[in-house]
Amino acid sequence: MNFKVPRGTQDILPSETWKWQQVEQIIDELCDLYRYKEIRTPIFEQTELFQRLVGDTTDVVQKEMYTFTDKGDRSMTLRPEGTAPVVRSFVENKMFGYPDQPVKLYYTGPMFRYERQQAGRYRQFVQFGAEAIGSADPAIDAEVIALALDVYKRVGLTKLKLVINSLGDTECRSEHRKALIAHFEPHIGEFCADCQSRLEKNPLRILDCKVDSKHPLMASAPSLTDYLNEDSTRYFDAVKSYLEDAGIDYEVDANLVRGLDYYNHTAFEIMSSSEGFGAITTLCGGGRYNGLAEEIGGPSAPGIGFAMSIERLLLAMEAEGIAFEDPSALDVYIVTLGDAARHPGFKLLGELRAAGIRTDMDYMDRKMKAQMKSADRLNARIVLVIGEDEVTEGVVQMKNMAEGTQEKVANSDIITALQEKLN
Ligand code: HAM
């Protein structure tokens, strides 16, 4: 039988995982710097959570969810995104009662969407997301955007573009909705079946349609910007001025609508403008979701957040030619010659590791020359050679690979000698 990794998923092999670990470390450090705390929610949730919060008429819910019935006959879904689970947890754990508001959370973990596979689009991908829940201060919108941008800057990306828009509040959304229906209704027969069903349920989604994107009515559709009321305009202006305080460049794009239903006021995306990045240029997406906690029975707790996939971040780094520093060099490799040296060598291995020295040895019964080659391939900085004579004498031969030197060291002095050389 010939098993393969499922379509749209990938094995991340040891030759790549160290890059992921470095990115994750940068994320943890930056979130700590901004006082966002990590939250870990389950990989699956009740299907209804996503239907309610992400929106029944979105592509994510309608076409892309991995939904299954469990043995208790409940409909469950592998999470396609992290905001709905985090808001669920916020309400369930009464985080609105925490003394320090807003509650600032982040997560890094796999998300699942049954999408058409292409470069930068996977069926299982890892999102880093951050959510600040409990504040309607436009300054926190700017903070959240600054955090996302800082991650990209810390890994060295420079070809970035921040695009923002305002989707307004419920009142302007409802006026805009009426205008959209009036605009599309006379010609709705020329649109795909999905758009036809979106007309009444959620006409804003029509603007997001991949099938009919070239239809002339798309470009002439009424823009939300024209329907923003005074409050929404004031809010948007304030967000922009805080971005300016933070020294963040942005472009306003009135057509930015986002693919999930929960947004109002601020919506944003960060794109890569690197030429090598390919067709999908969006690295990160986010926005404000003021009604979400209430939608699932919680109190009013306005929130804002974003998510980015690590896969796309790494692709963008590749496109900009940014290399990581490979941290995999070994401190010490122990070469043992003959049976008498095996036990002392193995014992020393444990002692060095206990002292925090990254050490390995041969487990393939290889000859001295092959063991030395192994040490070389593993980039060992120091090789300790133990033969029968050394065992009798209570010493090891210490070879410094970079300097090409060799000296005899007494067993009792090994750790101190190594620590000196390695520092
Ligand atoms: P989203 O725009 O659906 O938003 O996804 C955010 C990011 O996840 C995308 O910009 C992209 O980096 C990554 N992503 C999405 N789908 C895929 C895929 N199939 N393969 C690889 N990467 C992908 C959300 O998920 C919202 N929860 C963001 C948010 C948080 N809004 C407020 N808070």
Side-chain angles (χ1 to χ4, degrees):
M1 218 179 277
N2 195 357
F3 289 116
K4 292 227 165 79
V5 74
R7 185 185 280 269
T9 70
Q10 56 179 342
D11 293 321
I12 300 161
L13 301 176
S15 54
E16 293 291 315
T17 37
W18 61 274
K19 299 180 188 167
W20 286 71
Q21 288 166 350
Q22 286 188 7
V23 171
E24 283 159 12
Q25 196 181 335
I26 287 175
I27 287 170
D28 291 341
E29 280 168 17
L30 277 173
C31 285
D32 184 49
L33 190 68
Y34 278 70
R35 202 184 63 77
Y36 284 69
K37 303 285 174 208
E38 191 185 4
I39 181 166
R40 300 184 185 192
T41 63
I43 298 287
F44 58 90
E45 297 270 354
Q46 279 169 269
T47 301
E48 208 189 331
L49 178 78
F50 300 111
Q51 288 169 335
R52 286 278 286 278
L53 297 194
V54 173
D56 252 344
T57 52
T58 58
D59 275 359
V60 170
V61 169
Q62 277 191 344
K63 300 180 185 164
E64 296 169 3
M65 295 210 300
Y66 281 90
T67 297
F68 60 97
T69 306
D70 73 6
K71 293 194 195 304
D73 216 21
R74 288 171 288 254
S75 180
M76 294 290 169
T77 292
L78 300 186
R79 60 183 187 190
E81 60 99 54
T83 310
V86 167
V87 171
R88 194 257 318 127
S89 180
F90 176 89
V91 171
E92 187 176 345
N93 294 292
K94 301 191 171 50
M95 293 187 211
F96 43 82
Y98 286 8
D100 283 312
Q101 298 287 324
V103 177
K104 305 205 282 186
L105 304 165
Y106 80 98
Y107 47 89
T108 308
M111 306 290 160
F112 306 84
R113 296 185 193 179
Y114 193 83
E115 293 201 78
R116 216 159 48 82
Q117 190 191 1
Q118 62 185 100
R121 182 164 283 151
Y122 305 91
R123 291 186 177 168
Q124 175 174 333
F125 54 97
V126 175
Q127 267 190 350
F128 154 53
E131 317 285 350
I133 311 177
S135 165
D137 182 338
I140 197 131
D141 298 36
E143 171 179 291
V144 158
I145 293 173
L147 171 59
L149 282 168
D150 261 359
V151 171
Y152 294 126
K153 285 184 203 150
R154 274 285 285 276
V155 300
L157 291 175
T158 54
K159 295 182 178 147
L160 299 168
K161 189 168 86 175
L162 167 67
V163 180
I164 59 170
N165 189 23
S166 172
L167 305 178
D169 59 14
T170 325
E171 185 190 287
C172 18
R173 292 282 283 275
S174 140
E175 288 307 306
H176 181 234
R177 184 194 140 88
K178 282 185 212 152
L180 282 174
I181 295 177
H183 177 77
F184 286 114
E185 200 165 25
H187 298 275
I188 197 65
E190 298 159 28
F191 285 77
C192 72
D194 279 343
C195 282
Q196 295 185 14
S197 78
R198 285 169 184 143
L199 182 71
E200 281 303 325
K201 284 194 220 144
N202 193 349
L204 194 64
R205 284 269 77 82
I206 297 179
L207 301 177
D208 214 19
C209 179
K210 289 167 194 132
V211 183
D212 293 316
S213 60
K214 299 272 180 303
H215 193 288
L217 280 189
M218 290 291 209
S220 59
S223 163
L224 233 172
T225 316
D226 300 329
Y227 291 82
L228 288 189
N229 55 25
E230 217 176 290
D231 282 353
S232 300
T233 308
R234 205 179 314 117
Y235 193 88
F236 194 35
D237 287 343
V239 173
K240 287 188 272 189
S241 70
Y242 281 115
L243 286 175
E244 283 149 26
D245 289 342
I248 294 172
D249 292 334
Y250 59 84
E251 253 175 51
V252 175
D253 178 356
N255 294 320
L256 179 74
V257 291
R258 310 272 304 119
L260 314 166
D261 269 355
Y262 45 66
Y263 294 111
N264 37 57
H265 292 288
T266 318
F268 66 93
E269 287 188 354
I270 300 170
M271 330 269 200
S272 166
S273 51
S274 171
E275 273 177 22
F277 194 55
I280 294 180
T281 54
T282 305
L283 295 177
C284 170
R288 183 160 273 289
Y289 45 85
N290 288 352
L292 219 47
E294 275 165 302
E295 179 70 32
I296 51 167
S300 161
I304 173 138
F306 67 79
M308 61 173 73
S309 72
I310 312 287
E311 287 84 353
R312 287 192 196 170
L313 181 150
L314 292 170
L315 285 171
M317 288 179 68
E318 217 173 278
E320 285 201 32
I322 300 163
F324 283 100
E325 211 176 297
D326 186 349
S328 64
L330 202 59
D331 293 329
V332 173
Y333 192 87
I334 299 174
V335 169
T336 59
L337 305 173
D339 287 346
R342 285 298 288 172
H343 284 283
F346 187 72
K347 215 167 138 237
L348 181 60
L349 176 76
E351 286 163 8
L352 298 192
R353 286 176 178 164
I357 299 170
R358 299 158 70 233
T359 311
D360 204 1
M361 70 183 281
D362 173 62
Y363 291 109
M364 300 304 288
D365 197 20
R366 276 181 283 223
K367 299 263 180 306
M368 160 121 183
K369 209 169 149 199
Q371 291 188 45
M372 286 305 292
K373 265 197 188 155
S374 219
D376 229 19
R377 259 197 314 273
L378 296 171
N379 261 328
R381 292 169 63 193
I382 289 172
V383 175
L384 298 179
V385 183
I386 313 174
E388 280 174 31
D389 291 351
E390 282 76 17
V391 175
T392 323
E393 234 185 291
V395 296
V396 298
Q397 301 290 344
M398 181 160 85
K399 284 176 181 282
N400 189 321
M401 301 302 272
E403 291 169 8
T405 53
Q406 179 166 334
E407 60 187 294
K408 216 194 278 187
V409 181
N411 284 348
S412 53
D413 299 334
I414 296 175
I415 291 184
T416 331
L418 284 174
Q419 279 164 342
E420 251 169 45
K421 295 271 180 225
L422 292 167
N423 281 328

